[in-house]
Structures are given as structure tokens and as C-alpha cells.
């Protein structure tokens, strides 16, 4: 039944069937998260990094009425070139887009759904959506958090994006029982910086220990995801004060332009990029590479454990 909607690339299908390491990748980061051609180049390089670290990449998107798991270079180019013209597809968008055969780029939430349907347990991205600043008025809370509460996929990210309300996002995750792990750090990274001023729940020092935690959680029937917060490399991070200023300014402009809903995150990311003279884009690319490598290591460790 599910085959009607799910289209696994032959390489991904083979890897899943043989319990090899696979890493899921989202496509909103390609279409809405970065400009062309850097988005395409980054997406292809991320796949390369995952391969070089012993796992099979599976970039996910909605193409012609199917959830495609594993894309061709042409499909990645198409997503990159389409940019915001392609629909940003989260959980609520899947039924409409698939039944109408409208193409879409998957967010963290919908990529988790697809990965889970395909049997992929590890997913790499840049940053997750969260509770937006001012959410007590706007109610703007990303569907990514509900997905983390419910869907058994581990998400490797560079922490919680500094454009969000980190404190409320951590509270929300606590309520829904989503573990927030810090890879070799006690401090929650804030995407562009290692520093955030908040702590993770647990510091974990290697991929094997993380894989064991994942196995334990799901063996116990504790449904839902896990956040693995991997700090941007020290020499690639941006200045904390400088980022704080750029984010404040982006939030003011968002309010003035009355930007809301699904447009909010892409607007803030591109505004921050503009205000930092492009340096935020470079940092964004570097942190995604860093996450791809760790996700491949975790996927490998998890595949080994599954065999035991
Ligand atoms: N973080 C990035 N780039 C992105 C996103 C997050 O650095 O493009 C995307 C992800 O796809 C994430 C989505 O799932 O933004 C969250 O959007 P919203 O806040 O509307 O749920
Ligand atoms: Mn939102």
C-alpha cells in the first residue's frame, strides 16, 4: 500500500534491505534554506561526505505524487533552481501535494515521516524548527517539534537556530520527552555559534554511545525522535554578538513586513544572510557538512548494533 506513495532509489532500497547505514536528508534546506547554486553544491557535497563516511545518503522530496527517498543529481538541481517556487512541504501539506501530484520540498517534520516509512533512523540537517520568539502571541511553533515527539528518527543538527526562542523550545521538547543530546558538549549550540547560554540534557562523546541510546529508547517503546546537537566547528563559527544583532534586526523587519507562518523561517534565514554580508551562509554550509559526517557515523554504529 505504502509503495503507492513511497519511491525508494535502488541504492537506498538495497542498503535498507541489507541493514547498511543510511542517512536521510531534507530538501527544504535546498529550496528555501540557501540560494542557488550554493544550495545544489551543498546538497551534492553533503551526499559525498556521507558516502565517504560509509553510509548511503537519501535526500527526500515530493516528486510527481510520490515521496522520493534518494534523488538524482537532476532532481537536486531542480529543487535548487526552483527555490521558493517549490512548495515547502510539512506534515499538513503531504496529503494535498501527493494527491494533487504537486512537487514539494520536505521540512524536518515531513522528512522524518518519510524516513520512518522507509525504515531510516538517522537524519542530518542544519537546524530544526522550534518555538518562535513571541510565540505566546503568535502561536508559531514548528511542526518539527510535534514530529520529534512522535516519530522514531534521530535528527543530527547544529542545535536550535538562534532566530528561535531557545528556552521555550527546550521546554516544549522536555514536555514531549524528546532527549536533547550534545555531541561532545554540555552547551546547546545555537546553529551559527557554539555558544547559546543553554545546556543540553546529556553530553555524549561518541557515535556508538548515541546509537546505544537510540536503540534503548526504541526498544523500550518510547516513541519519538532524539536531537543530536552537534556544534559548528570552532574555526567556522560566527561572532555571537554580531549574530545576536543581525537576528534582532531581522526580527524587527519581519514584524514590519508582517511576515508570518511558513514564510517566517525562510525570511529570517535570508535576512540574516544579507545582514551578515553572506557569512551566515558560509557558516550554514559548514555546519551541515559537519552534521552529515556525524550522522553517517551514528548510522553506521546503529546498523552494527542492529545486527547484534
Ligand atoms: N534550518 C535551516 N534551514 C532551513 C530550515 C531550518 O537552517 O531551511 C527549514 C527546515 O526544513 C525546517 C523548517 O524543518 O525550516 C522549519 O520551518 P517552520 O519553522 O516553518 O516549521
Ligand atoms: Mn511556523
Amino acid at each position: 500500500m505504502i509503495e503507492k506513495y513511497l519511491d525508494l532509489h535502488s541504492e537506498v532500497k538495497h542498503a535498507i534491505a541489507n541493514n547498511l547505514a543510511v542517512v536521510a536528508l531534507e530538501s527544504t534546506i535546498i529550496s528555501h534554506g540557501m540560494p542557488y547554486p550554493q544550495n545544489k553544491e551543498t546538497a551534492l557535497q553533503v551526499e559525498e561526505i556521507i558516502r565517504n563516511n560509509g553510509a548511503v545518503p537519501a535526500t527526500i522530496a515530493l516528486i510527481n505524487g510520490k515521496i522520493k527517498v534518494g534523488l538524482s543529481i537532476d532532481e537536486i538541481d531542480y529543487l535548487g533552481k526552483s527555490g521558493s517556487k517549490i512548495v515547502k512541504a510539512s506534515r499538513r501539506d503531504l496529503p494535498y501535494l501527493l494527491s494533487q501530484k504537486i512537487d514539494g520540498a520536505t521540512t524536518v517534520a515531513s522528512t522524518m515521516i518519510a524516513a520512518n516509512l522507509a525504515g531510516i533512523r538517522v537524519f542530518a540537517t542544519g537546524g530544526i524548527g522550534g518555538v518562535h520568539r513571541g510565540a505566546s502571541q503568535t502561536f508559531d511553533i514548528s511542526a518539527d517539534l510535534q514530529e520529534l515527539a512522535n516519530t522514531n528518527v534521530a535528527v543530527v543538527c547544529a542545535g536550535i537556530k538562534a532566530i528561535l526562542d531557545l528556552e521555550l523550545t527546550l521546554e516544549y521538547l522536555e514536555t514531549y520527552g524528546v532527549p536533547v543530546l550534545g555531541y561532545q558538549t554540555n552547551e546547546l549550540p545555537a546553529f551559527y555559534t557554539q555558544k547559546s547560554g543553554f545546556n543540553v540534557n546529556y553530553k555524549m562523546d561518541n557515535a556508538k554511545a548515541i546509537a546505544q541510546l537510540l536503540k534503548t529508547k526504541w526498544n523500550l517503546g518510547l516513541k519519538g525522535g532524539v536531537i543530536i546537537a552537534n556544534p559548528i566547528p570552532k574555526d567556522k563559527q560566527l561572532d555571537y554578538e554580531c549574530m545576536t544583532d543581525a537576528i534582532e534586526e531581522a526580527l524587527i523587519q519581519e514584524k514590519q513586513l508582517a511576515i508570518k507562518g511558513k514564510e517566517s523561517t525562510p525570511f529570517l534565514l535570508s535576512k540574516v544572510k544579507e545582514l551578515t554580508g553572506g557569512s551566515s551562509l558560509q557558516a550554514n554550509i559548514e555546519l551541515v557538512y559537519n552534521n552529515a559526517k556525524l550522522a553517517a557515523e551514528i548510522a553506521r554504529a546503529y546498523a552494527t548494533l542492529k545486527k547484534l
Side-chain angles (χ1 to χ4, degrees):
M1 182 55 185
I2 202 71
E3 297 80 62
K4 184 164 180 239
Y5 305 103
L6 203 59
D7 181 357
L8 300 188
H9 189 286
S10 56
E11 189 191 9
V12 174
K13 199 178 206 164
H14 171 266
I16 295 168
N18 291 283
N19 189 33
L20 302 176
V22 183
V23 175
L25 297 158
E26 62 154 312
S27 46
T28 291
I29 191 173
I30 307 175
S31 59
H32 291 69
M34 291 181 194
Y36 190 81
Q38 288 96 333
N39 54 6
K40 171 198 176 179
E41 288 157 9
T42 304
L44 295 176
Q45 184 62 27
V46 162
E47 293 203 341
E48 182 75 18
I49 291 170
I50 290 172
R51 283 184 206 287
N52 291 342
N53 284 278
V56 172
T59 307
I60 294 172
L62 311 184
I63 311 249
N64 196 25
K66 293 223 178 197
I67 305 173
K68 275 203 133 182
V69 181
L71 302 180
S72 66
I73 295 176
D74 283 351
E75 285 164 335
I76 288 178
D77 185 59
Y78 159 66
L79 291 165
K81 271 201 185 117
S82 301
S84 55
K85 285 201 286 292
I86 200 153
V87 182
K88 174 180 163 187
S90 196
R91 168 179 272 265
R92 63 115 190 253
D93 307 291
L94 295 181
Y96 179 78
L97 298 175
L98 291 174
S99 61
Q100 295 282 321
K101 295 194 166 42
I102 298 170
D103 295 347
T106 53
T107 62
V108 168
S110 51
T111 304
M112 288 177 75
I113 294 170
N116 183 49
L117 289 173
I120 304 171
R121 298 282 156 233
V122 182
F123 163 21
T125 186
I128 56 162
V131 180
H132 281 254
R133 299 196 196 182
S136 58
Q137 292 295 319
T138 63
F139 273 38
D140 191 348
I141 300 174
S142 175
D144 293 352
L145 297 185
Q146 270 303 304
E147 214 56 57
L148 281 156
N150 290 299
T151 303
N152 297 5
V153 175
V155 182
V156 181
C157 61
I160 298 165
K161 244 172 307 164
I163 55 170
L164 300 167
D165 188 319
L166 274 64
E167 192 167 14
L168 294 188
T169 304
L170 286 171
E171 289 295 344
Y172 194 102
L173 291 166
E174 180 177 16
T175 302
Y176 286 94
V178 180
V180 180
L181 312 177
Y183 182 67
Q184 299 180 346
T185 179
N186 275 307
E187 182 162 13
L188 175 75
F191 201 68
Y192 305 112
T193 57
Q194 292 196 343
K195 175 179 163 178
S196 73
F198 296 94
N199 284 337
V200 295
N201 306 145
Y202 302 103
K203 172 174 177 275
M204 310 266 321
D205 290 333
N206 60 71
K208 188 174 172 204
I210 295 170
Q212 278 163 338
L213 181 146
L214 298 178
K215 195 166 185 246
T216 305
K217 182 181 200 294
W218 296 325
N219 275 350
L220 287 168
L222 297 173
K223 75 179 165 88
V226 171
I227 293 177
I228 297 136
N230 184 28
I232 182 170
K234 206 177 177 106
D235 59 330
K236 302 283 176 9
Q237 68 178 337
L238 301 179
D239 178 69
Y240 185 79
E241 313 301 332
C242 188
M243 280 325 291
T244 308
D245 291 350
I247 288 163
E248 299 282 330
E249 176 61 26
L251 287 161
I252 291 169
Q253 293 196 27
E254 181 189 40
K255 208 166 205 167
Q256 281 168 353
L257 295 166
I259 288 167
K260 294 193 184 86
K262 70 195 291 193
E263 274 79 45
S264 173
T265 299
F267 172 84
L268 292 171
L269 289 175
S270 74
K271 191 47 80 181
V272 166
K273 178 190 153 238
E274 198 183 299
L275 292 167
T276 57
S279 63
S280 72
L281 176 61
Q282 198 46 46
N284 198 344
I285 293 170
E286 295 294 344
L287 65 85
V288 177
Y289 292 165
N290 194 43
N291 295 343
K293 179 170 182 288
L294 177 59
E297 287 167 15
I298 296 169
R300 269 181 25 229
Y302 190 75
T304 310
L305 284 184
K306 260 176 69 181
K307 282 196 203 107
L308 301 176

